[in-house]
């Protein structure tokens, strides 16, 4: 996943958890330092259904539930900060302690690892091509002379740019996922590329579009933390390991994807 340069201060929103407390910082179980007492502050970017999105005034999703469970294991409650993705990807939000962690369906890449640290992988993903139903576009080569929509700063955008010269299409950037899928529906672009899980969720309730191809890119999502924050990284990894071993991860996965992870 990804997004655009920061234009305004982000808004802190509690994800179905307690309101934040004020203070000069605090510690989680095991003595790991956090920004606010009793709180694990998470940077993310909305909307990216089913990982994090607004539903009836609440922030919900797979990533939200997963980090709620990690926070609980640490003796904390999660508070979400909805912020432009560029501030996450650049490492600024993490390294300036705006948030403790970043969870935004974010693929682990070498470029991002230069800006901040990642947890162990927690989700496997790949890229998918979405078009209007019946478009006849089944591959990137079918897009020659046409327009392919991408979400800014995503691995999908990177993949589209790497293959555009060979396939002769124009890459059109969009600030977020909703804008890119709307562009497909309205014919502003001929197709869009993004993670298969978010497109898969979208086509369930939008029968006018379909996924016509998937591209194996080896993407794996990770939770971001400030560079060198080994104590927090180790604690998050320990919580992830426990959630996978005790079956809680599988329950969260099945809740949002209708099946257990393969």
């Amino acid at each position: 996943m990804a997004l655009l340069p920061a234009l305004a201060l982000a808004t802190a929103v509690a994800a179905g958890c307690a309101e934040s407390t004020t203070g000069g910082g605090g510690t989680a179980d095991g003595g790991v330092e956090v920004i606010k007492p009793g709180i694990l502050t998470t940077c993310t970017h909305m909307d990216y259904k089913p990982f994090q999105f607004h539903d009836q005034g609440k922030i919900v999703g797979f990533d939200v539930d997963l980090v709620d469970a990690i926070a609980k294991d640490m003796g904390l409650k999660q508070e979400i900060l909805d912020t432009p993705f560029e501030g996450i990807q650049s490492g600024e939000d993490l390294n300036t302690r705006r948030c403790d962690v970043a969870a935004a369906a974010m693929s682990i890449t070498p470029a991002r690892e230069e800006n901040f640290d990642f947890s162990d992988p927690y989700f496997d993903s790949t890229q998918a091509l979405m078009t209007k139903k019946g478009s006849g576009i089944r591959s990137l080569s079918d897009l020659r002379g046409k327009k392919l929509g991408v979400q800014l700063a995503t691995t999908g955008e990177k993949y589209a740019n790497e293959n555009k010269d060979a396939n002769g299409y124009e890459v059109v950037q969009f600030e977020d996922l909703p804008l890119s899928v709307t562009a497909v529906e309205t014919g502003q672009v001929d197709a869009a590329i993004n993670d298969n899980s978010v497109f898969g969720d979208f086509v369930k309730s939008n029968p006018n579009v379909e996924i016509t191809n998937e591209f194996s890119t080896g993407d794996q999502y990770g939770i971001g933390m400030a560079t060198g924050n080994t104590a927090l990284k180790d604690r998050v990894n320990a919580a992830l390991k426990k959630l996978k071993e005790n079956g809680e991860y599988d329950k969260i996965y099945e809740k949002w994807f209708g099946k257990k992870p393969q």
Side-chain angles (χ1 to χ4, degrees):
M1 180 202 171
L3 215 80
L4 190 68
L7 300 176
L9 291 176
T11 303
V13 186
C17 300
E19 294 295 328
S20 67
T21 55
T22 58
T27 57
D29 290 351
V32 177
E33 292 186 3
V34 290
I35 297 168
K36 298 180 181 180
I39 299 293
L40 185 69
T41 305
T42 304
C43 278
T44 194
H45 179 77
M46 252 79 67
D47 280 324
Y48 204 70
K49 188 180 180 183
F51 292 93
Q52 51 273 330
F53 62 102
H54 295 90
D55 183 38
Q56 298 181 351
K58 294 181 179 180
I59 297 174
V60 298
F62 176 84
D63 280 358
V64 176
D65 284 356
L66 182 64
V67 180
D68 270 346
I70 291 170
K72 182 179 179 181
D73 186 72
M74 297 173 67
L76 304 170
K77 291 185 178 181
Q78 178 182 195
E79 184 179 87
I80 289 179
L81 190 69
D82 181 15
T83 181
F85 193 77
E86 185 58 32
I88 298 174
Q89 179 171 266
S90 69
E92 179 182 355
D93 289 338
L94 293 165
N95 294 321
T96 61
R97 291 182 58 80
R98 174 177 260 186
C99 44
D100 298 301
V101 298
M106 181 166 52
S107 297
I108 300 168
T109 68
R112 289 171 180 166
E113 287 180 309
E114 291 180 2
N115 297 330
F116 55 91
D117 292 343
F118 276 102
S119 70
D120 292 336
Y122 69 87
F123 192 92
D124 294 334
S125 183
T126 191
Q127 297 302 307
L129 189 69
M130 189 181 76
T131 71
K132 276 189 177 180
K133 185 159 283 186
S135 70
I137 297 170
R138 315 297 302 180
S139 66
L140 295 182
S141 61
D142 292 332
L143 284 165
R144 186 168 299 277
K146 301 182 186 297
K147 295 180 179 180
L148 176 62
V150 301
Q151 184 180 350
L152 279 169
T154 58
T155 50
E157 180 187 26
K158 181 175 181 290
Y159 187 83
N161 283 325
E162 287 173 347
N163 290 279
K164 69 177 181 180
D165 289 342
N167 293 285
Y169 53 75
E170 178 186 350
V171 174
V172 181
Q173 297 172 321
F174 294 94
E175 183 176 337
D176 56 31
L177 175 72
L179 288 174
S180 66
V181 295
T182 298
V184 174
E185 291 182 301
T186 60
Q188 185 178 347
V189 295
D190 300 282
I193 190 170
N194 211 313
D195 293 359
N196 60 344
S197 48
V198 292
F199 276 172
D201 184 84
F202 184 78
V203 299
K204 288 178 185 177
S205 54
N206 294 272
N208 58 324
V209 294
E210 61 181 340
I211 292 174
T212 59
N213 205 342
E214 294 191 0
F215 312 101
S216 181
T217 54
D219 282 22
Q220 291 184 303
Y221 297 162
I223 296 169
M225 287 152 283
T227 301
N229 194 344
T230 305
L232 180 58
K233 180 178 178 178
D234 290 347
R235 189 64 183 84
V236 168
N237 282 338
L240 271 174
K241 184 174 185 290
K242 183 187 295 186
L243 292 170
K244 289 185 176 182
E245 289 176 346
N246 67 17
E248 184 65 22
Y249 177 90
D250 286 0
K251 290 179 182 178
I252 295 170
Y253 192 103
E254 192 168 13
K255 171 184 174 181
W256 291 104
F257 299 102
K259 59 182 180 180
K260 291 185 178 180
Q262 301 299 310

